Structures are given as C-alpha cells and as structure tokens.
Amino acid sequence: MILDFVTLLDMKKSVWRPGTYIHYQESYNNHIKPPIGNHKLQKPTKMTLQRELIDKLVSYKLKRATIQEIFRVFKSAVSYAIEEEILPKDCFTKMDFSAAPTGDKANFYTEEELKTFLSCVKDNDPTTRYTAILTLAMTGSVKAK
C-alpha cells in the first residue's frame, strides 16, 4: 500500500488538537514537502532523508532545534505508518543534525527586521498570530541606542 504524508495527516486530524494539526501541516508544506514531497513514505532511505531533507534544512541556516522539530513531525508520520503496519520498521533513527548550528548566540531582530516581520504576520493572520507575536515583541528586551 502506497501512503503519503498528507494522507497520514488527514487520518490523524480527528485525533490531534487543531493547533497540532495546523503545526504539522505547516511544517510539512513549508519544510518537508519541497525537498522530499515527491517521495512516498515507503521509499526514502536514511541516506536520502539525510541528504534531501536534513542537509537542505541545514543549508537554509536553520538552527538545530528547528530542524529537529521539523524532523519530529516527519517521524510522527513514520510512527503512525508503523502502528498501522504500513511500514515494517523505523529506518530513520540516529539521523545526523551536527552540521546545524545551535542557538548559542544572541538571537534578535533589528528594528527594521522586526517591522518587516510584523507586517508579514499581520498580512497573513491579522488577529491571532499578529497579536501574540506583537505582544512578545513588545515585551522583549530593547537595546538602547
């Protein structure tokens, strides 16, 4: 039986909280689908997944924790496929995230970057996300000029 990630998302939709489903869907659409969306869940090997997904995410300069979270979304689909006996076992253990930078250094936007980001969020979700992100931005530390 050939099964793809989108089918698994749809199968779990009724079980997950709406926010979890949206998070998984966005992770898939933004980070998983572009590099490996054309592969069926049974087809990628560990080497293919490392090269086509993890190494590409590293090349985008994403932090290790972000890449691991995206991979966790992928692994949830694999776990469900194993649970449903679609896949015989999890072949994607011990993936290498070491090339991804850690978040040790200061991580903040300049005033101009923050304005651009807030504008983008407001255009896409003017109520919920914009309000939450604006609140976080306004309560963060401000560097004196």
Side-chain angles (χ1 to χ4, degrees):
M1 174 181 186
I2 301 295
L3 191 65
D4 62 12
F5 196 90
V6 175
T7 305
L8 287 172
L9 276 177
D10 289 340
M11 291 170 81
K12 293 294 274 188
K13 185 177 183 176
S14 63
V15 178
W16 290 329
R17 293 182 324 215
T20 301
Y21 177 77
I22 290 168
H23 169 68
Y24 278 37
Q25 192 175 42
E26 288 175 348
S27 291
Y28 173 74
N29 288 331
N30 296 332
H31 300 291
I32 298 170
K33 183 181 178 181
I36 64 167
N38 61 330
H39 295 279
K40 294 297 178 189
L41 198 54
Q42 293 93 331
K43 296 294 182 190
T45 63
K46 184 176 176 178
M47 187 184 336
T48 302
L49 192 65
Q50 181 74 43
R51 183 183 62 243
E52 298 295 324
L53 179 63
I54 295 172
D55 292 349
K56 280 200 174 142
L57 294 173
V58 168
S59 75
Y60 300 149
K61 307 278 191 251
L62 296 177
K63 299 285 186 229
R64 187 175 303 170
T66 303
I67 296 170
Q68 288 172 327
E69 174 59 25
I70 293 165
F71 185 69
R72 189 178 68 78
V73 170
F74 174 81
K75 287 280 287 186
S76 72
V78 170
S79 295
Y80 186 65
I82 292 167
E83 187 180 301
E84 293 297 316
E85 298 179 354
I86 296 163
L87 290 178
K89 66 178 184 160
D90 184 354
C91 302
F92 308 111
T93 58
K94 299 182 183 173
M95 300 303 290
D96 183 12
F97 301 99
S98 63
T102 58
D104 295 339
K105 62 182 179 177
N107 184 11
F108 56 89
Y109 285 141
T110 64
E111 186 176 344
E112 196 57 40
E113 289 171 330
L114 180 59
K115 285 179 183 176
T116 302
F117 177 66
L118 287 171
S119 174
C120 222
V121 172
K122 190 173 187 177
D123 290 345
N124 289 301
D125 188 356
T127 309
T128 309
R129 289 187 184 161
Y130 177 72
T131 304
I133 292 172
L134 179 63
T135 302
L136 289 172
M138 295 301 121
T139 58
S141 60
V142 178
K143 185 176 178 180
K145 292 186 179 187

